[in-house]
Each structure stands twice: as C-alpha cells, then as structure tokens.
Amino acid sequence: MTVTRLEDLPNELWLELFVYFTWSELNSTWFQWKLNNRIQMLAEVARNRVALSLSSISFTTYGQCLHCFEHEHPMIAYRITSLLLNESAVSNEIINRWLENDTSFLPRIRQCTVYIDLVNRSVRTNVILLIRRHASILRRIVFYFDRVDRYYSILKMLIEQGISLHTMQFIIIRDNRYYEWGSSLAECATYSHQIFTFPNTVRLRLSLQHISDLALLMQCDTLPRIEHLHITMENGIYTSHKLHNEYEDTSCLTLCPNDFNINRASLTHLRTLQLRQVAITNVIVLIQHVKSMSQVESLILMNCNVKDKNELIVFKSCITNFMICLRCLHFVLYLSAEIKLENIDLYWFNLGHHTVAYEINELMVLYTVPYLLNSQRQVYNHTFGRQSTINNNITHIQWTIDRDPLSINTTLTHFQHVNSLVLFFDIKEMNINLDSWHVLLPFLRHLKLNFDSNPIKSDKSYDRSVTPNHYRCFILEQFRQCASVLEYLTLYWSDIRLLLKHSSSPWPFVRQLNILMESCTNIPSASLIKRLPTNKAFPQLQYLSFGGRRFSLTPPKPLATRILLCFDALVSSSSKFIMLHMNRCCGTHRSVPFTSRDILLTLLTERVRSRSDHYSSSKIVIDSNEEIIIWL
C-alpha cells in the first residue's frame, strides 16, 4: 500500500490549501512551525495572495496608518475581506476613508466586527450606513456590547435601515442582568415604523430580555430563512449571584401558547437551536407549539432552570415525542437541590453515549459532556473545574474564588486551553502552597484580576472583599510564572503598586496594561508611571489605559498637565510605547462647559506634536464619551 506523507504533497495542492488561511493565520501556523524549506517557500508565495484583515493592530503608529492608506492600501484593498473596529482613533480614520471612497476602499469586504463601546458615536452611526451600502457583498457582521443601553439602539438602526445579512451576531460581553433594558424588539420595530424581520439571515445570535421577543422570533415571517439560531435571555433566570435555592419570579417570564400565532410559528429551515438562560418550561412550550422544532437536528441548552422533577419528565417526553430529527442534544441544566434523581433518570439523559455528570452545590448542575460553550463560561469556585470531562473548547472563563483556594490547582488543570480569564479572588485566609501552581497556562493571553470585589456579594455593600496584600502578591507572581504568553493584563492601581514594590521580575510579554482606578484616586504620579515600561516591570509595554474612574475634562489645563506628565514619563522610558488611553470604557458623561473638550484637545495636540519630529503625525482623540487617546 502506498503511503503519502503530508510533506510530499505537490506544490499545487499546498497553494490550494493556503487559500483557506488568512495572512495572520499563515504567520501563526506554517511560518512558526517551519516544517521544511519547500513548504516555507510556498507559504511565502501564498502570503502575498491570501486574505487580509484591517484593524487598529495593523499599524504600530498613526504615521504608519496614514502612510498605509495613502500608498499601500490601493494595492492591497482587493485582498482585505475582514474589518475589525475596536479602537476610536484608527476606526474613525478607516470609516471616514471608506465613506469618501465607497466601494473602491474595501471592494471585497465580507466580514465586519465592531466593539460598540470602544468606538465613538460617529463611527457607530456611519458603520451602520456603510453596512447598508455594502449589504450585497457583506456576509457577516458581529457586534460586541458592554452596555445594554446601546444594544437596542443599534438593533433599532439596523431595523430602520432594513439590514439583513447571511450571518448577524449581537453579543453582550458583560453580565447585565441587573439593568433594565430600554425596550423589546417589537417596540423597536414599532418606534421605527418597520416590520421586524431579517428576511435574508441564515445565522443569527441575539440577546433578549423579554420572553415575548422569543415568541416573535419563532414566527415564520420574522426569520424566513433562518437555519442556525442562538438566543440568550439576559434576565438572569438563573444567576450565579444567588447560590441558594431561590428562583426569580418567573410569572412574567413564561411563554404560553397564546404568545404564538400557532399557524405562523414555524421556521421551516431551522436546523440548529441554541438557548442560553431560557427556563426549561419555556423550552417545553417551544417544542410543543412550534412546528419546525420537529425538524431541528441540534438542540443546545445552556444554564437552563428546572424547578421540579415534573418539568424534567415533561421535557424528556417532548424530546422523545416531538424531536424526531434530533441528532445532537447538549445541555447544562440547573435543578433545585431537593430534586432527587434516580438511576433511571440518569440512564435516560445518557443520550448518544455521552457521560452524564451532576454536582450538588446548593443548586444541582446536570449536564452532558462534551458540550458547546460558545467560548465562555462562568465558574463559581470550582463547580465545573473539578470535572475531568471538561471540554477543551472553553476559551473564556469568569471565575469567582471565595473559598477553598486549593481548588485553584484542580481547576486550572482543566482550563489549560483558556486564553481569557477574569478572576475575582476573595480569600482572607489561605495556606500558601507553591506546589498547587505547577500547571502552565500556555494559551492565556488576556487576564483580569480583581481582589477588591466579589460579584456574589455585590448586593452586600457592607461585606466588601478584602484580600490581604501577601496573598495578592502570591497570586500575581504565580500568574506571572504560569502564563508564559500573557499579552493583556488588567489590574487595579493598588495592585500595580504592590507589583512595582515587591516584584523584581518582569512580565516579559505584556503589551497592553489596563489600570482600573478607584473613584477617589487621581492620575498616578509621573515617577510611578515611568517605572511601568521598564525591564523590571513590563519591558514590552505598548499600550497603557486608565479606566474605572472618569477624569472630568473641566478644568482642561490641570488635566492636560497631568496627562502630559504621564505621557512624557512613558515615552522617555520606552521606545516601544505607542498609545495612552484615559477614561477607557467609562460611562457616558458630558463635562460642562462643552468647550473644555476643545481646549484640552488643543493643549494635548500642540504639546505632543511639538515634543519631537518623530511625533509630528501623532493622533489625539477625545470621543463622544470623553475617552482620551494619544496615539503616536
């Protein structure tokens, strides 16, 4: 039998294979692997042909950005298929040039991703206009939101413009269960004098707060071509903040047959349905009263509440009697601790020969594995981490540790594929055990540590989290050693000071440092700031931001002085530093008088650009949320 090795494939097949990679993917795979010289040369040829992505990280300085758009962009524009808008200054430049040149600027654009809270108001408005203009060539749009008040405003604009692309995703990053949303989808459409429908959409991901919106989406004239639907209910039916046997009043959160137009409640093309934080009673109503549910091949239920065993019995009956085409059933269900499951129940849930696991931690968690997690998972202490069957698809973890700190080791063993971790650490007493941190985190690139708050106790202002300094230093040092490729670090200023005071070892790969400020804390002194981009702290630092506390633009001159002292300290101690960002991701605020913004912008621009010829093309931006960005 003839055996063909991968490296023996002819050149033509290799070049055909490389077509399916982007420029960055080629760099991070075949160029790093260096299998042999021939494949390396073919990858080099392909790199000059494959698709490109345009974003703020495409440039290191603002001058390079201008040079690229003036001289290089016309030659590579036809290769750009993906656009990422996640920073105000570059995003504004991109959008303005796109508006001016229209179809010639991005003639082959297929995907647009926008971090709504990281771009200013004009970019948000214009990007919707451009999406409408290029709806015939755009295939996928993704919006990320930190704040729910902007969520429905963007949806309303899309409805007004009649935008419906093949794939549309509206993803809320933060936990917004404590905020009331402005309106429902139906109200958005009514306000816009439009019929709510996405006629061309095949894949859709939405977050909802009103259960009536879920019923609206299941009407055939709302999503006539939908094949893959992903819905998250943001009302917090189950909440990790309530870890005892309490359920929110669901009387107004429950579907009933009257919510549907039964004759029109059918999505004829629907094949994959994923529901997150939708109570199991609502899932049952969908299965019983939406005709197209019988055609669904994959049903994924994440974080769904089950009030009693009767609901489980009905759910099992619905799956057996109605879901006749079902090939894949994945679920994570939350049950009251009083619900007693017998072996016969567990045997039934052992569908497709997957393991059924359950753990009782005041609330019972019942789930099949492996299961899809959509790259995010909230973990209370170690509830999921101790399961040896945890899925390697988990890439984002929000983890709260307020007891049993020794579970850190056991949990990290199963989180080695995580690239983003938000850790709330609230331990007042612990036995420091160096051996418990022998696990490396080879993929962890984003880390946010919070020792000062605990989301589980967020409603108890009198019980504030206070983790002792020596524990903080220990945890920081362990992450420094274990996370070998960490690039983005978010810490409170008090913990940065601890790090500068007690640690003499560098964080060698950190390029972006986000400092969170307490409400009463001023901008740190220039002498302390100067110590950040050094060989003893963050030798590769390129981006520094201050968030958590808003600095008012009034009066502008004192603020300009403090910012410029900070800026001078950074650039004098590092040749790699390129961006300073103030008021990052703070709530909307308008200083009085409005002229303060213009005065501050003028002062910063004159000082930065006059510092040297090297900074003559620097960009200084103060956006509509009064976020201040100095980009070299």
Side-chain angles (χ1 to χ4, degrees):
M1 181 177 67
T2 303
V3 177
T4 302
R5 297 181 303 173
L6 182 65
E7 55 266 36
D8 293 333
L9 292 176
N11 293 353
E12 292 78 11
L13 283 179
W14 275 109
L15 292 173
E16 181 68 22
L17 171 67
F18 289 144
V19 169
Y20 296 94
F21 287 79
T22 64
W23 186 88
S24 59
E25 288 170 344
L26 277 179
N27 279 348
S28 62
T29 53
W30 300 102
F31 279 92
Q32 288 188 5
W33 296 340
K34 298 181 179 178
L35 297 180
N36 61 41
N37 290 334
R38 183 176 71 94
I39 297 176
Q40 200 79 6
M41 291 176 61
L42 291 171
E44 184 68 50
V45 172
R47 189 161 61 169
N48 296 322
R49 304 175 181 175
V50 297
L52 297 174
S53 176
L54 180 59
S55 72
S56 60
I57 61 175
S58 305
F59 319 103
T60 56
T61 66
Y62 190 70
Q64 186 186 73
C65 170
L66 296 178
H67 181 271
C68 175
F69 285 140
E70 294 295 334
H71 303 286
E72 300 174 9
H73 182 82
M75 294 179 288
I76 63 172
Y78 73 96
R79 292 171 54 196
I80 298 174
T81 60
S82 177
L83 174 63
L84 172 63
L85 303 176
N86 63 346
E87 181 276 331
S88 286
V90 182
S91 299
N92 193 57
E93 189 71 36
I94 292 172
I95 292 300
N96 286 340
R97 289 178 179 268
W98 195 4
L99 283 169
E100 293 172 2
N101 297 280
D102 205 18
T103 55
S104 63
F105 186 73
L106 295 172
R108 292 185 58 203
I109 185 70
R110 296 294 181 269
Q111 174 176 322
C112 181
T113 303
V114 186
Y115 284 78
I116 291 295
D117 299 272
L118 300 183
V119 298
N120 61 35
R121 189 178 303 168
S122 62
V123 171
R124 293 177 220 141
T125 303
N126 288 331
V127 78
I128 300 297
L129 174 62
L130 287 166
I131 289 173
R132 181 189 178 187
R133 286 185 185 176
H134 298 80
S136 60
I137 59 173
L138 268 169
R139 182 175 177 83
R140 182 170 184 256
I141 55 172
V142 183
F143 294 100
Y144 289 95
F145 300 83
D146 274 353
R147 297 176 50 190
V148 297
D149 58 334
R150 291 177 180 147
Y151 189 87
Y152 271 115
S153 66
I154 294 296
L155 273 178
K156 186 166 72 69
M157 284 193 282
L158 288 169
I159 294 170
E160 288 175 342
Q161 298 293 329
I163 295 173
S164 175
L165 304 186
H166 177 279
T167 301
M168 302 200 301
Q169 298 183 359
F170 306 86
I171 304 171
I172 294 179
I173 301 173
R174 293 185 179 179
D175 185 353
N176 288 285
R177 65 191 64 195
Y178 293 116
Y179 297 94
E180 288 295 329
W181 292 30
S183 58
S184 66
L185 290 178
E187 290 170 344
C188 280
T190 301
Y191 183 82
S192 305
H193 305 290
Q194 300 286 338
I195 298 174
F196 177 66
T197 178
F198 290 136
N200 302 317
T201 302
V202 175
R203 295 175 177 267
L204 177 64
R205 177 172 177 174
L206 273 178
S207 285
L208 309 172
Q209 195 178 42
H210 303 277
I211 200 67
S212 59
D213 287 339
L214 180 56
L216 176 63
L217 290 173
M218 304 308 289
Q219 307 298 318
C220 60
D221 50 358
T222 303
L223 299 169
R225 297 183 59 192
I226 198 70
E227 295 180 15
H228 308 280
L229 182 60
H230 178 175
I231 300 297
T232 299
M233 293 302 300
E234 297 288 348
N235 49 38
I237 294 175
Y238 168 76
T239 161
S240 60
H241 309 303
K242 297 184 177 182
L243 294 173
H244 47 280
N245 301 330
E246 287 186 4
Y247 292 81
E248 296 182 10
D249 179 13
T250 59
S251 58
C252 61
L253 301 173
T254 303
L255 282 173
C256 66
N258 293 333
D259 293 322
F260 296 95
N261 183 330
I262 301 298
N263 296 326
R264 294 165 55 196
S266 180
L267 306 179
T268 56
H269 301 286
L270 185 64
R271 294 297 176 265
T272 301
L273 177 62
Q274 177 157 345
L275 302 173
R276 297 183 70 243
Q277 297 175 192
V278 177
I280 202 70
T281 183
N282 292 330
V283 176
I284 291 170
V285 172
L286 290 179
I287 294 175
Q288 291 177 337
H289 297 283
V290 179
K291 296 178 182 177
S292 54
M293 292 295 290
S294 63
Q295 303 167 12
V296 170
E297 299 174 358
S298 177
L299 178 63
I300 302 169
L301 307 174
M302 303 301 303
N303 302 350
C304 296
N305 260 10
V306 180
K307 288 194 292 187
D308 53 47
K309 191 171 179 178
N310 288 333
E311 283 193 342
L312 273 183
I313 294 172
V314 176
F315 173 65
K316 290 160 57 177
S317 174
C318 287
I319 294 295
T320 304
N321 297 326
F322 293 94
M323 308 292 288
I324 57 177
C325 295
L326 192 65
R327 298 179 180 178
C328 171
L329 173 62
H330 293 166
F331 57 79
V332 176
L333 307 179
Y334 291 98
L335 298 83
S336 170
E338 286 81 14
I339 298 178
K340 304 301 181 184
L341 295 180
E342 302 172 2
N343 285 338
I344 190 171
D345 300 311
L346 295 178
Y347 294 155
W348 186 90
F349 281 114
N350 194 10
L351 298 171
H353 304 290
H354 292 306
T355 302
V356 171
Y358 67 95
E359 178 168 329
I360 298 178
N361 185 14
E362 297 180 342
L363 281 174
M364 181 186 292
V365 181
L366 172 68
Y367 55 96
T368 57
V369 289
Y371 50 84
L372 303 178
L373 292 162
N374 281 318
S375 301
Q376 56 186 337
R377 161 57 53 193
Q378 290 189 356
V379 179
Y380 168 70
N381 200 27
H382 58 277
T383 304
F384 283 86
R386 284 186 172 175
Q387 301 297 331
S388 60
T389 50
I390 204 73
N391 195 323
N392 288 337
N393 289 336
I394 303 175
T395 60
H396 173 74
I397 295 291
Q398 180 172 308
W399 185 15
T400 301
I401 302 176
D402 68 350
R403 64 174 182 263
D404 188 15
L406 295 182
S407 68
I408 291 175
N409 172 51
T410 311
T411 306
L412 289 179
T413 301
H414 305 297
F415 290 164
Q416 292 185 54
H417 290 264
V418 169
N419 62 47
S420 176
L421 172 62
V422 178
L423 177 64
F424 296 91
F425 192 89
D426 180 16
I427 298 290
K428 297 178 178 62
E429 294 183 8
M430 64 180 283
N431 296 320
I432 295 178
N433 181 3
L434 292 175
D435 293 334
S436 70
W437 283 77
H438 65 271
V439 176
L440 292 179
L441 301 172
F443 298 102
L444 187 63
R445 298 178 64 241
H446 301 255
L447 173 63
K448 178 178 180 180
L449 286 172
N450 191 330
F451 298 102
D452 293 311
S453 63
N454 182 336
I456 296 174
K457 301 176 181 177
S458 60
D459 58 340
K460 300 178 181 179
S461 58
Y462 58 85
D463 191 9
R464 183 171 177 77
S465 170
V466 180
T467 303
N469 285 346
H470 54 289
Y471 295 161
R472 300 182 188 218
C473 291
F474 171 73
I475 297 297
L476 284 168
E477 178 60 19
Q478 300 315 304
F479 272 111
R480 189 192 69 79
Q481 295 182 26
C482 296
S484 57
V485 296
L486 187 69
E487 295 185 38
Y488 307 91
L489 178 63
T490 302
L491 290 172
Y492 275 88
W493 172 240
S494 57
D495 297 314
I496 293 289
R497 295 186 66 177
L498 278 177
L499 187 150
L500 292 175
K501 182 177 180 180
H502 297 289
S503 176
S504 58
S505 301
W507 295 64
F509 299 106
V510 172
R511 296 188 295 110
Q512 177 170 329
L513 179 61
N514 304 311
I515 299 179
L516 300 176
M517 310 291 290
E518 295 287 354
S519 58
C520 58
T521 307
N522 292 322
I523 298 175
S525 66
S527 59
L528 285 174
I529 291 296
K530 191 174 183 178
R531 295 172 57 187
L532 292 176
T534 63
N535 291 332
K536 292 184 178 180
F538 305 100
Q540 301 297 322
L541 187 65
Q542 298 180 5
Y543 176 110
L544 177 66
S545 76
F546 292 94
R549 180 252 161 106
R550 172 176 292 282
F551 297 100
S552 175
L553 307 192
T554 305
K557 290 185 178 180
L559 179 60
T561 300
R562 291 195 294 269
I563 293 175
L564 290 168
L565 286 173
C566 179
F567 169 79
D568 289 339
L570 289 164
V571 297
S572 64
S573 56
S574 172
S575 60
K576 298 178 180 179
F577 189 79
I578 59 174
M579 188 175 294
L580 176 63
H581 191 166
M582 312 291 296
N583 292 347
R584 182 174 183 264
C585 295
C586 293
T588 303
H589 177 78
R590 183 62 54 80
S591 295
V592 179
F594 183 71
T595 53
S596 297
R597 175 187 177 279
D598 298 327
I599 295 172
L600 179 62
L601 182 61
T602 301
L603 291 172
L604 294 176
T605 303
E606 290 177 352
R607 173 64 182 274
V608 170
R609 292 184 176 177
S610 64
R611 193 177 187 278
S612 73
D613 293 338
H614 180 69
Y615 304 126
S616 59
S617 61
S618 298
K619 181 76 170 180
I620 293 85
V621 174
I622 303 178
D623 69 12
S624 56
N625 291 334
E626 298 190 356
E627 296 190 27
I628 306 165
I629 303 170
I630 300 178
W631 188 25
L632 302 181

